[in-house]
Amino acid sequence: MRVAMIGTGYVGLVSGACFADFGHVVTCVDKDAAKIDRLNAGRMPIYEPGLEDLVAANVRDGRLSFALDGADAIRTADAVFIAVGTPSRRGDGHADLSYVYAAAEEIADLINGFTVIVTKSTVPVGTGDEIERIIRARRPDADFAVVSNPEFLREGAAIGDFKRPDRVVVGIEDERARPLMTELYRPLNLNETPILFTGRRTSELTKYAANAFLALKITFINEMADLCESLGADVQQVARGIGLDNRIGSKFLHAGPGYGGSCFPKDTLALVRTATDAGSPLRLIETTVEINDARKKAMADRVAAALGGTDLKGKTVALLGLTFKPNTDDMRDAPSLDVAPALMAMGATVQAFDPEGMHEAAKLMDGVVFRDGPYDAVEGADVVVIMTEWDQFRALDLDRIKLLLKQPVMVDLRNVYRPEDMKARGFHYSSIGRPESAR
Ligand code: UDX
């Protein structure tokens, strides 16, 4: 099948490359000429494990190409995917759909023969209806169906998530889209992946409901971690104790500094707005958003507490990891963006290292001193803070870290190390939701 993918951001690029790998002929289209040039030169605009090789292999085999002008690709496509950004609209938290609607208008002018138009971008309920209206108004003669097919890709594991998903959700209003969408995902039949066909609005809401539930789950365990600290219990054991119950499940029960990233913060907020506008407020999710925002900010206080006060004048803090999670260079809504300024506001000097995120971080973090490696970052610091659980921070040479620090203090916001080991090595170690006595 022939696919045009509008938008070569994270979702568009991964989805385009994976559809090509499934055997379809895919053209990824983007208005950003520099990005298309880079992609044509084989360089990726984002860091995602395995993506560069996957793109190279499919370009070589002639199934994947990149274009600034999507006209040819859209005219000949069986399916046109909209995978443009839907950022939070400034001021009100609603999803900004201007890129989606602009894409719809462009597609309207070009489609030729029966074409399925698929939203991959995360869009509020009813967006598919509006896309249909836009295209119909511009091209009353066009033969098309608008479909919702949300992505559930985790950054850092996106290719695996695309090729081995737990499920695929497809929202259709026109039955003619069903065989075409089934054919697009046919390689997943091998793994017997459930393909769930629903109505379009249901599919749009399913995406938000999934992200909101996961954000809620993380927030639940984060609050439980605070309670564990007050009561002398261990949140990791609580998480295991509840996670082994199949009804609860063990995933997304890792306590930390609060969720970040390109999806959870934006999507929970957009869902809250949608629900309020619909007169059916989601109080659980409203509270989740509030708790998570406050939590990210509060992490700096933990660092100050580890140094025995609230004033960090003259102190140097080493941050290891800046991205919102490992294996990405994405800094969107990363907890480090709250923590670093708060530390500096308390008087600290912040020196930091991240394996992939420093280029992005440098644009967003005024005043932070960026260092070349973890040991560089730690040198001369009063405390080392693990912000992101990159693999290379899981196996640090702790004796070397101890020598480089002014005092052996570690704040581990990802529970990478074991309190008893750190104590044995002579560190003052504080982590999330684990008993005071073991710290
Ligand atoms: C998420 C969804 O998982 C994916 O399905 C969706 O389509 C896009 O959003 P992503 O943002 O890439 O993916 O990362 P994810 O692995 O879900 O982590 C999100 C945030 O939650 C990170 O900041 C992470 O550190 C945090 N998190 C996750 C926790 O704090 N604890 C956990 O147990 C899991």
Side-chain angles (χ1 to χ4, degrees):
M1 300 187 76
R2 301 190 73 88
V3 173
M5 184 70 65
I6 314 292
T8 60
Y10 195 81
V11 170
L13 192 53
V14 170
S15 306
C18 288
F19 276 133
D21 213 48
F22 281 177
H24 305 301
V25 177
V26 180
T27 307
C28 291
V29 182
D30 204 293
K31 296 232 171 306
D32 181 339
K35 212 170 185 186
I36 294 295
D37 285 348
R38 282 185 65 159
L39 284 164
N40 277 327
R43 281 182 290 129
M44 298 301 106
I46 50 162
Y47 174 77
E48 177 64 29
L51 185 60
E52 190 166 327
D53 290 347
L54 190 74
V55 166
N58 283 284
V59 168
R60 200 176 45 236
D61 292 350
R63 288 189 301 266
L64 180 62
S65 58
F66 301 99
L68 191 57
D69 179 356
D72 284 346
I74 295 169
R75 269 191 211 105
T76 56
D78 300 295
V80 181
F81 279 78
I82 302 179
V84 296
T86 54
S88 276
R89 204 159 64 191
R90 222 173 260 273
D92 65 4
H94 273 290
D96 177 350
L97 295 173
S98 49
Y99 301 112
V100 172
Y101 294 149
E105 291 186 359
E106 186 182 337
I107 294 165
D109 295 341
L110 295 164
I111 44 174
N112 183 18
F114 178 64
T115 310
V116 172
I117 294 146
V118 192
T119 44
K120 261 272 169 238
S121 304
T122 299
V123 291
V125 179
T127 305
D129 302 353
E130 182 60 15
I131 293 173
E132 188 169 323
R133 199 195 56 73
I134 290 172
I135 300 178
R136 180 70 59 224
R138 249 177 124 96
R139 277 282 303 282
D141 63 306
D143 191 14
F144 67 98
V146 177
V147 168
S148 156
N149 174 217
E151 53 85 15
F152 299 101
L153 309 176
R154 284 165 306 163
E155 295 191 14
I159 293 169
D161 284 351
F162 194 98
K163 292 188 163 183
R164 289 175 296 282
D166 292 335
R167 79 320 201 174
V168 174
V169 177
V170 183
I172 58 174
E173 295 299 322
D174 180 335
E175 272 302 320
R176 291 180 300 164
R178 188 188 293 257
L180 197 137
M181 294 304 291
T182 306
E183 179 59 18
L184 268 176
Y185 283 104
R186 195 172 40 80
L188 298 183
N189 288 346
L190 282 177
N191 314 336
E192 298 183 0
T193 304
I195 300 194
L196 187 69
F197 281 94
T198 69
R200 200 162 55 201
R201 284 178 167 250
T202 303
S203 165
E204 288 168 343
L205 183 57
T206 302
K207 163 69 189 193
Y208 280 99
N211 275 357
F213 189 82
L214 292 170
L216 175 72
K217 200 171 177 190
I218 296 167
T219 304
F220 172 84
I221 204 68
N222 283 343
E223 277 210 308
M224 209 46 79
D226 290 349
L227 182 60
C228 283
E229 287 170 24
S230 303
L231 298 180
D234 181 332
V235 74
Q236 285 187 208
Q237 291 178 25
V238 171
R240 192 164 154 71
I242 62 173
L244 285 169
D245 183 329
N246 280 333
R247 292 169 303 175
I248 297 174
S250 59
K251 292 185 180 152
F252 278 67
L253 283 179
H254 195 77
Y259 60 78
S262 61
C263 289
F264 288 172
K266 167 174 81 69
D267 294 349
T268 44
L269 206 58
L271 182 60
V272 161
R273 297 287 182 266
T274 302
T276 307
D277 289 355
S280 192
L282 291 175
R283 298 215 311 274
L284 271 177
I285 308 306
E286 286 169 15
T287 308
T288 298
V289 170
E290 270 169 39
I291 295 172
N292 194 64
D293 285 349
R295 182 171 189 83
K296 290 201 271 186
K297 293 191 174 70
M299 289 299 118
D301 300 335
R302 286 177 178 255
V303 179
L307 292 178
T310 49
D311 183 7
L312 292 177
K313 264 196 206 74
K315 305 283 190 208
T316 298
V317 179
L319 296 186
L320 296 188
L322 296 170
T323 51
F324 79 98
K325 65 183 239 179
N327 296 324
T328 176
D329 58 357
D330 200 332
M331 286 294 299
R332 281 176 283 181
D333 279 308
S336 64
L337 294 174
D338 285 306
V339 173
L343 291 170
M344 290 188 284
M346 285 189 253
T349 300
V350 175
Q351 43 195 47
F353 169 72
D354 187 280
E356 296 292 339
M358 291 206 290
H359 183 69
E360 281 304 306
K363 301 178 199 161
L364 303 166
M365 300 178 105
D366 273 352
V368 171
V369 183
F370 295 99
R371 291 295 179 88
D372 290 336
Y375 300 102
D376 258 5
V378 165
E379 190 170 5
D382 295 274
V383 53
V384 53
V385 182
I386 299 193
M387 286 291 323
T388 315
E389 67 278 31
W390 285 92
D391 276 348
Q392 62 170 278
F393 305 148
R394 292 177 186 273
L396 291 169
D397 179 344
L398 292 168
D399 293 332
R400 190 170 163 201
I401 296 277
K402 204 170 149 189
L403 284 174
L404 290 167
L405 284 167
K406 278 194 211 144
Q407 42 190 340
V409 183
M410 180 185 280
V411 178
D412 181 357
L413 299 180
R414 300 289 184 168
N415 289 357
V416 165
Y417 290 101
R418 286 152 50 108
E420 49 280 20
D421 293 349
M422 297 305 284
K423 199 173 176 190
R425 284 172 179 275
F427 274 85
H428 297 280
Y429 176 76
S430 90
S431 59
I432 301 282
R434 296 190 289 185
E436 195 69 39
S437 57
R439 284 189 191 176

